[in-house]
C-alpha cells in the first residue's frame, strides 16, 4: 500500500488499542478494492477524547471506529446519532460530513448477521453479561422479536437494569437470572456469551451446566481469540451449533466501511485477513 497525499485515513480509537484487529480487516478491504485509503489504530487517552473528536471536524478523515473505553463518552461530542446509537447510548462509528459528526452503532447489525438462518421469533435466548456488548445483543434479539429472553450478569443490578431497558424500549419482559445459578425454566435455543471470560490473556471458562446446553442449540461466544473458547468446545461436544465472535466483528466492521465509503466491502477478504492473525 502506497501512502500518498491523496490517501484518505480511517482509524479506530481506544485506550489501549494495540490489540485491535480492525486495521488488519479494513486495510485488507481497501487493498482488495484498490481504494486510496488506509486504516490505523490510534491511542486516545480519556482526558483528550473531546478535543480529539471535535478536531475531526477540521479534517478530511474518512471515518472513525470507537472502542473501549470511549463508546459512551464520545456521544456528547457528536452532532447527530442513528436510532440505534441513540437508544443504546453508545457509538462505535463516526462519519464526518460537511463538518458535522454523525454517530452510529454497527454492533447490533453485526450481531444480527450471526443469527441468520435462525427463526428468532420462535426461540428463547440466554445472554451472559450485560455490558456494552450484552446490551447490543439484547437489542438485536428484541428487534428480531425473540420469544423468551433470559439475562445473567455477575453484577445482578446491571442485569436487572438491562431487563428494565428492554421493557422500556421494546415493551418486552426479560428475566434476570442470578449469575452462576443457571435456574432457567428451560434450556434455551440461543446462548450468547458477551463477557470476556475465556478470552486470550484473561482465561477462565463459563461453568454452564450441561443440561442448559441442548442439542441443536446455537451457542455464540463474542470472543474470537482463541477461536474456540472452553464454552464453545463444551457446547460442540454436547451437539450444539457454535459460532465465535469473528462474524460479528467482520460484519460490524463491514457496516462501518459501507457508512464511510458507500461501498459494500469484500467480507471474505476481511475475514481471511483476521483469521491469519488469531
Ligand atoms: P463491558 O461493557 O466491559 O462488559 C463486560 C461484561 O462482562 C459485564 O457484563 C461484566 O460483568 C462481565 N464480566 C467481565 N469480567 C467478568 C468475570 N470475570 N466474570 C463474570 N462476568 C464478567 O465490555 P463489552 O464491550 O460488553 O465487551 C465484552 C466482551 O465482548 C469482550 O470480550 C469483547 O471483546 C467482546 N466483544 C466482541 C465483539 C465482536 O465483534 N466479536 C464486539 C463487542 C464486544 P459486570 O457487570 O459484573 O462487571
Amino acid at each position: 500500500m502506497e501512502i500518498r497525499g491523496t490517501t484518505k485515513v480511517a482509524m479506530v480509537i481506544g485506550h489501549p488499542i494495540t490489540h485491535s484487529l480492525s486495521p488488519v480487516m479494513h486495510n485488507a478491504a481497501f487493498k482488495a478494492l484498490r481504494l486510496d485509503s488506509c486504516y490505523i489504530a490510534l491511542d486516545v487517552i480519556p482526558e483528550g477524547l473531546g478535543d480529539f473528536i471535535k478536531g475531526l471536524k477540521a479534517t478530511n478523515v474518512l471515518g472513525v471506529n470507537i472502542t473501549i473505553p470511549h463508546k459512551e463518552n464520545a456521544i456528547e461530542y457528536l452532532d447527530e446519532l442513528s436510532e440505534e446509537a441513540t437508544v443504546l447510548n453508545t457509538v462505535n462509528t463516526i462519519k464526518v460530513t460537511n463538518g458535522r459528526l454523525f454517530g452510529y452503532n454497527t454492533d447490533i447489525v453485526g450481531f444480527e448477521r450471526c443469527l441468520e438462518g435462525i427463526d428468532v421469533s420462535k426461540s428463547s435466548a440466554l445472554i451472559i453479561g450485560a455490558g456494552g456488548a450484552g446490551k447490543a445483543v439484547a437489542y438485536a434479539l428484541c428487534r428480531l422479536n425473540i420469544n423468551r429472553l433470559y439475562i445473567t450478569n455477575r453484577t445482578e443490578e446491571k442485569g436487572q437494569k438491562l431487563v428494565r431497558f428492554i421493557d422500556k424500549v421494546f415493551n418486552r419482559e426479560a428475566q434476570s437470572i442470578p449469575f452462576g445459578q443457571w435456574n432457567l425454566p428451560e434450556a434455551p435455543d440461543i446462548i450468547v456469551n458477551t463477557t470476556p471470560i475465556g478470552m486470550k490473556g484473561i482465561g477462565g471458562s463459563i461453568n454452564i451446566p450441561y443440561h442448559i446446553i441442548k442439542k441443536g442449540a446455537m451457542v455464540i461466544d463474542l470472543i474470537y481469540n482463541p477461536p474456540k473458547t472452553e464454552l464453545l468446545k463444551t457446547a460442540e461436544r454436547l451437539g450444539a451449533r457454535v459460532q465465535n465472535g469473528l462474524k460479528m466483528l467482520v460484519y460490524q466492521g463491514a457496516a462501518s466501511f459501507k457508512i464511510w465509503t458507500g461501498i459494500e466491502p469484500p467480507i471474505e477478504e476481511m475475514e481471511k485477513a483476521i483469521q491469519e492473525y488469531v
Side-chain angles (χ1 to χ4, degrees), residues 97-119:
T97 307
N98 302 327
R100 286 178 66 75
L101 301 172
F102 293 79
Y104 304 84
N105 187 311
T106 65
D107 281 336
I108 298 166
V109 77
F111 181 72
E112 280 176 349
R113 298 300 293 257
C114 299
L115 299 169
E116 275 170 353
I118 299 174
D119 189 349

Side-chain angles (χ1 to χ4, degrees), residues 68 129-133 153-155 158 179 194-197 199 222-224 245 248-249:
I68 295 170
N153 192 55
R154 179 177 60 180
T155 309
K158 221 161 113 190
F179 195 74
T194 74
T195 76
I197 302 172
M199 197 162 102
L222 297 196
I223 293 167
Y224 46 82
M248 176 172 174
L249 178 75

Side-chain angles (χ1 to χ4, degrees), residues 134-234:
K135 206 171 172 189
V137 165
Y139 186 101
L141 285 167
C142 289
R143 187 155 80 177
L144 294 170
N145 209 13
I146 186 78
N147 197 290
R148 298 171 310 284
L149 183 60
Y150 309 100
I151 295 167
T152 188
N153 192 55
R154 179 177 60 180
T155 309
E156 199 169 347
E157 167 50 24
K158 221 161 113 190
Q160 286 164 350
K161 195 171 163 203
L162 183 52
V163 166
R164 291 196 294 274
F165 167 82
I166 289 162
D167 184 29
K168 186 168 156 225
V169 175
F170 292 97
N171 194 19
R172 177 174 288 273
E173 240 179 70
Q175 200 176 317
S176 171
I177 306 287
F179 195 74
Q181 290 189 19
W182 311 109
N183 53 344
L184 278 76
E186 62 181 315
D189 303 305
I190 302 166
I191 297 174
V192 192
N193 174 37
T194 74
T195 76
I197 302 172
M199 197 162 102
K200 188 179 174 194
I202 291 180
S205 64
I206 293 175
N207 298 317
I208 185 165
Y210 291 173
H211 72 272
I212 297 294
I213 304 177
K214 69 179 174 193
K215 204 170 172 187
M218 171 59 85
V219 180
I220 304 172
D221 200 324
L222 297 196
I223 293 167
Y224 46 82
N225 194 7
K228 217 173 259 179
T229 55
E230 290 305 319
L231 171 67
L232 293 191
K233 285 183 195 164
T234 304

Side-chain angles (χ1 to χ4, degrees), residues 2-278:
E2 195 187 335
I3 309 282
R4 295 178 286 236
T6 51
T7 306
K8 285 267 187 93
V9 183
M11 67 194 71
V12 57
I13 63 162
H15 181 72
I17 197 61
T18 48
H19 66 281
S20 176
L21 292 176
S22 291
V24 170
M25 170 168 81
H26 284 282
N27 284 321
F30 287 142
K31 191 173 167 200
L33 294 170
R34 296 175 190 277
L35 294 182
D36 184 14
S37 303
C38 70
Y39 189 108
I40 59 168
L42 207 63
D43 196 315
V44 175
I45 57 168
E47 303 75 38
L49 182 69
D51 286 340
F52 176 84
I53 294 181
K54 284 186 262 174
L56 288 171
K57 292 188 176 195
T59 72
N60 66 344
V61 159
L62 178 63
V64 178
N65 278 134
I66 303 184
T67 189
I68 295 170
H70 301 319
K71 283 183 172 188
E72 279 184 28
N73 298 337
I75 297 249
E76 67 174 289
Y77 306 107
L78 304 178
D79 297 305
E80 274 186 54
L81 297 176
S82 69
E83 190 192 328
E84 288 103 328
T86 307
V87 176
L88 285 194
N89 198 38
T90 58
V91 280
N92 73 339
T93 304
I94 299 177
K95 182 178 162 87
V96 193
T97 307
N98 302 327
R100 286 178 66 75
L101 301 172
F102 293 79
Y104 304 84
N105 187 311
T106 65
D107 281 336
I108 298 166
V109 77
F111 181 72
E112 280 176 349
R113 298 300 293 257
C114 299
L115 299 169
E116 275 170 353
I118 299 174
D119 189 349
V120 176
S121 67
K122 292 203 175 89
S123 304
S124 55
L126 167 67
I127 303 175
I128 306 166
K135 206 171 172 189
V137 165
Y139 186 101
L141 285 167
C142 289
R143 187 155 80 177
L144 294 170
N145 209 13
I146 186 78
N147 197 290
R148 298 171 310 284
L149 183 60
Y150 309 100
I151 295 167
T152 188
N153 192 55
R154 179 177 60 180
T155 309
E156 199 169 347
E157 167 50 24
K158 221 161 113 190
Q160 286 164 350
K161 195 171 163 203
L162 183 52
V163 166
R164 291 196 294 274
F165 167 82
I166 289 162
D167 184 29
K168 186 168 156 225
V169 175
F170 292 97
N171 194 19
R172 177 174 288 273
E173 240 179 70
Q175 200 176 317
S176 171
I177 306 287
F179 195 74
Q181 290 189 19
W182 311 109
N183 53 344
L184 278 76
E186 62 181 315
D189 303 305
I190 302 166
I191 297 174
V192 192
N193 174 37
T194 74
T195 76
I197 302 172
M199 197 162 102
K200 188 179 174 194
I202 291 180
S205 64
I206 293 175
N207 298 317
I208 185 165
Y210 291 173
H211 72 272
I212 297 294
I213 304 177
K214 69 179 174 193
K215 204 170 172 187
M218 171 59 85
V219 180
I220 304 172
D221 200 324
L222 297 196
I223 293 167
Y224 46 82
N225 194 7
K228 217 173 259 179
T229 55
E230 290 305 319
L231 171 67
L232 293 191
K233 285 183 195 164
T234 304
E236 204 169 49
R237 271 201 306 275
L238 294 170
R241 294 171 290 162
V242 300
Q243 213 184 117
N244 68 19
L246 195 68
K247 194 167 177 182
M248 176 172 174
L249 178 75
V250 170
Y251 277 99
Q252 61 79 26
S256 299
F257 190 101
K258 176 97 191 280
I259 286 167
W260 300 327
T261 63
I263 300 169
E264 265 333 315
I267 298 287
E268 276 174 24
E269 299 290 337
M270 294 166 87
E271 208 167 323
K272 209 171 88 199
I274 286 188
Q275 257 155 359
E276 280 168 17
Y277 264 80
V278 293

